[in-house]
Every structure is written in C-alpha cells, then in structure tokens.
Amino acid sequence: MEINIGKNIKRLRLEKNITQEQLSEAMGVSCAAVSKWERGETYPDITLLQPLAYYFGVSLDELMGYDHEKIQANIDNVIENYRNSWNSDYVRSREIIVDAYRNYPNDYRIMHYYMWDIAGHMADNDPNVLLEHKDEFRMICDKILDGCTDESIRRNAWNMRAKILHAEGKTEEALAIYKSKYPSWFHTSGQKTEQLFAKNTSEYYFHVTKNMYNLAAFAGDKLARSIFFDPDTTVNEAAAKAIEYAKKLSAIANETNDVFFSSISEAFCSRIRNDLTYRGGRDEDIVIMLDYALLAAKEITQAIPQNEPLRAAFWDHSRAGQSENFLAWIVEYHLGAENGRRAELLKNPAYKAVLEKYT
C-alpha cells in the first residue's frame, strides 16, 4: 500500500481549519517539520503516529493508508445511485443513504443527504419526525457547521436547525435564522452576478436574461401554490382555476412566440400536476395539466439551441444533467415511475397517451 501520510496530514489539517503552527505546537515539533511531512520529504516519527491520529479524530490505518481519491469516487457513486433512485424507488433510496451514512459517517455530503432523507426532504416535513430525530440532526448540523466549507450544505444545516425550532414551537427563533443566515431576494447570487457587468455589455444581457427565465419559472411555481393552497378553495375548484390559467398561459406563449411565457407555463402546470397527483386530484385534471406542462417543455426544448441564457437557466433549474433535451428528460421521469401514485397513473390510458404524444 502506498503511504500517503503527508498528503493525509495536509488534507485533514485543512478540513479541520488547523494551521501548520497549531499542529506543530500540538505535536511538539517545528513548523518546518510539519511542512516537510506535507511535502512528502520526511515522515513523522513513529511515536507521533498515534497522537496524530487521535488529534485528527481518525484511525491509524486511515492516517497512513487512506486512499482519499478512491473513497471520494465511491461516495460520488453512492450519491449518484441515491439521487437516481429517490424518484422511482423510495424504499431503495432510503436503504442506499442509510447504508452510506453507516459507512461514511463523517462525509458532509452523506450527512446532508441522510439527514434530509430521514426528515422527508426539504418541504412538508412532519414535525413529529423532526422532533424524534432532533438530537441526531442537531449533532449532524453541528458537525457540518464546524467543519464543512460547502456553503450550500452549510445553509441547509441552518435550515434544519430552523425547522427543528419551528417543530418545537419556537417559530420566531426559526425565522430569525432565515433572516440572519440567508440573503434577501435582492441579494441572491443571480442578482449580484447580473450587477457585476456594465449594462451595455453582452455579459450583462446574458445574465439578466438568464435571471428572467429563472424567475419566470419561480413565479409560475408560486402562482400554482397560491391557487392550490388557498384555504377557501377545494382541490377540484383549484384544479378548475388552474386549468383556465394554463389555457391562457399557453395561448399567450403561442401568440407572442416568447419562451418567457412558456417558462412560466411549464413551472405552473408542472407544480399543479404534482400537487393534484399527491393531494387528491382527479386523474382527468392531472392529464390536462400534464399535457399543458409537456407542451410548454416542448417549446422550451425547441428554443434552447438558439438561446444560451435559456439553456443555462433550465439546466441550473432542472438539473437535467446528462441530456439537453428538457422535454425528453421530463417524459422519461414520468415513464420511469415504478411505484406510488405516478406508477398508478401509468395504467390510465389517457395519461399514458399524453406521455407518448411527446416522445
């Protein structure tokens, strides 16, 4: 086995935000000695190996022969398998991430996915589940906030802390976390990226247009939620209103030939279709909203080759990844359902016919 102790010392030191001076003082050696270890010029004295392992909180074997690249590749593969299965096989995805957490309990990405899977993902969390696991989740959040440098994972650790506080009835404390740890609408990365460039440049046009498409999709999603979750509206009433809106959005997109309106329509119709699917909607309404959503996705897909800001917006938004065919990605997602409500809908000839129309 290749001894990578110097590499591992440097990696562990940086992961834990420890300086060479701090490590040298803890081990009773010079800073130059630590520097030589990390460059691979010398090895630590054998009597220092166990203290080093203890100092970093790792095993001796891990300190001396840990193949970091191989392990990271394994973790990448586990996460890919988990993400690929969570929409089609919930039971299998849970098994994958629980097993991964058992094998890699100190990997921040694994901690993140494990915690949010147990919690029921990012929205509609059951307060009882959060309270049942609050000690474990808080421990994970502490680990992430103490050592993780990935800002997305760190923000979601704060998010979990806020959700637990809300479940405990401490909603004002939860809201205070969001106010202090998250940017306002006007201080997002998209807004700041746009402001980086002079307004008469092609870079500015690219980013302001990309932001426009992102926000169109965001607004469509919020419009759908405002209709569906109106407390004075039944599910069937919300569906009827949403269908009328879908007709109008589709007509505007067709009349203007502007994919901006298709972006709103796709997000709006997809969100309504999703809520109808999982919150008691009728099959016939789901079929209608699916048809409008796929029509808008088709319009977006056709526009993408000539519209770089649109491509950037929808690849960030959808995370379609391997394929640049936005429509095909959505259709494959629906056709690939193996269990649950979406799989049941595949038995409906009208539903299946809409999917086949867009293949």
Side-chain angles (χ1 to χ4, degrees):
M1 178 188 297
E2 180 184 355
I3 297 178
N4 292 319
I5 188 169
K7 256 192 230 181
N8 292 332
I9 288 173
K10 183 175 182 178
R11 175 181 56 77
L12 291 164
R13 180 178 64 76
L14 293 176
E15 284 180 358
K16 296 179 182 297
N17 297 314
I18 297 167
T19 66
Q20 286 187 340
E21 289 79 6
Q22 289 170 323
L23 179 58
S24 66
E25 184 177 346
M27 294 298 112
V29 298
S30 69
C31 195
V34 172
S35 181
K36 287 182 179 180
W37 296 346
E38 294 187 356
R39 293 198 302 270
E41 295 177 5
T42 61
Y43 293 139
D45 187 276
I46 193 169
T47 60
L48 290 176
L49 296 182
Q50 194 60 57
L52 278 166
Y54 181 79
Y55 183 75
F56 288 125
V58 298
S59 69
L60 191 56
D61 286 344
E62 192 171 337
L63 178 72
M64 296 193 63
Y66 184 73
D67 189 339
H68 183 63
E69 290 75 19
K70 182 178 179 181
I71 294 296
Q72 286 304 308
N74 289 341
I75 290 172
D76 289 345
N77 186 58
V78 166
I79 291 174
E80 182 180 3
N81 289 339
Y82 169 69
R83 289 175 60 85
N84 287 340
S85 64
W86 69 12
N87 283 321
S88 59
D89 191 340
Y90 173 78
V91 174
R92 177 59 183 151
S93 68
R94 172 64 61 85
E95 291 173 350
I96 289 172
I97 201 61
V98 168
D99 190 52
Y101 184 61
R102 189 180 302 116
N103 292 329
Y104 307 107
N106 294 313
D107 183 86
Y108 296 122
R109 291 180 299 162
I110 295 294
M111 292 183 210
H112 163 82
Y113 284 116
Y114 168 80
M115 177 172 68
W116 286 103
D117 190 279
I118 299 298
H121 300 296
M122 296 288 179
D124 294 326
N125 305 99
D126 184 341
N128 294 320
V129 173
L130 295 176
L131 293 175
E132 179 185 353
H133 295 274
K134 69 177 184 179
D135 292 336
E136 180 184 26
F137 289 171
R138 279 175 169 153
M139 179 268 293
I140 291 173
C141 289
D142 288 344
K143 281 187 177 181
I144 288 172
L145 293 170
D146 285 345
C148 182
T149 58
D150 185 313
E151 283 303 317
S152 176
I153 294 176
R154 290 176 60 82
R155 281 195 299 271
N156 277 312
W158 284 113
N159 188 18
M160 178 56 75
R161 282 189 170 183
K163 285 178 178 285
I164 292 171
L165 285 169
H166 178 57
E168 291 176 329
K170 303 173 183 177
T171 302
E172 290 303 316
E173 291 181 45
L175 293 173
I177 285 179
Y178 292 131
K179 185 175 181 180
S180 64
K181 300 300 180 182
Y182 286 77
S184 70
W185 299 112
F186 299 101
H187 292 85
T188 60
S189 63
Q191 178 77 344
K192 292 306 172 186
T193 301
E194 176 185 316
Q195 293 173 350
L196 184 65
F197 303 101
K199 290 185 173 63
N200 61 344
T201 63
S202 60
E203 291 88 353
Y204 175 80
Y205 178 78
F206 173 88
H207 287 286
V208 74
T209 308
K210 173 179 178 289
N211 288 343
M212 176 187 71
Y213 292 129
N214 273 330
L215 291 172
F218 195 77
D221 180 89
K222 296 304 178 188
L223 175 62
R225 292 173 191 264
S226 70
I227 291 173
F228 194 87
F229 294 103
D230 183 341
D232 296 324
T233 302
T234 67
V235 171
N236 291 342
E237 289 170 343
K241 185 175 181 179
I243 289 169
E244 286 303 310
Y245 276 45
K247 289 178 182 177
K248 295 183 188 310
L249 285 169
S250 182
I252 293 171
N254 183 58
E255 290 168 11
T256 62
N257 197 31
D258 192 330
V259 74
F260 169 81
F261 295 105
S262 301
S263 302
I264 298 176
S265 181
E266 190 280 326
F268 173 79
C269 297
S270 292
R271 171 51 56 187
I272 292 290
R273 188 266 318 147
N274 182 79
D275 288 330
L276 289 173
T277 299
Y278 295 107
R279 297 177 184 273
R282 297 176 300 198
D283 281 15
E284 56 266 35
D285 294 331
I286 295 170
V287 169
I288 293 171
M289 295 309 297
L290 176 66
D291 200 355
Y292 278 117
L294 293 179
L295 175 60
K298 180 180 179 180
E299 293 163 352
I300 292 166
T301 302
Q302 290 171 338
I304 278 174
Q306 294 81 38
N307 191 325
E308 285 298 323
L310 181 68
R311 174 185 282 112
F314 270 81
W315 262 225
D316 287 347
H317 170 64
S318 69
R319 300 181 182 180
Q322 298 175 354
S323 171
E324 289 200 351
N325 189 322
F326 184 58
L327 174 63
W329 177 68
I330 296 174
V331 172
E332 288 167 9
Y333 164 77
H334 288 289
L335 289 174
E338 296 179 1
N339 50 46
R341 180 80 162 102
R342 287 192 299 116
E344 284 298 314
L345 282 166
L346 286 173
K347 299 174 184 177
N348 182 323
Y351 181 89
K352 191 73 175 290
V354 168
L355 291 171
E356 291 173 348
K357 182 169 74 171
Y358 291 96
T359 56

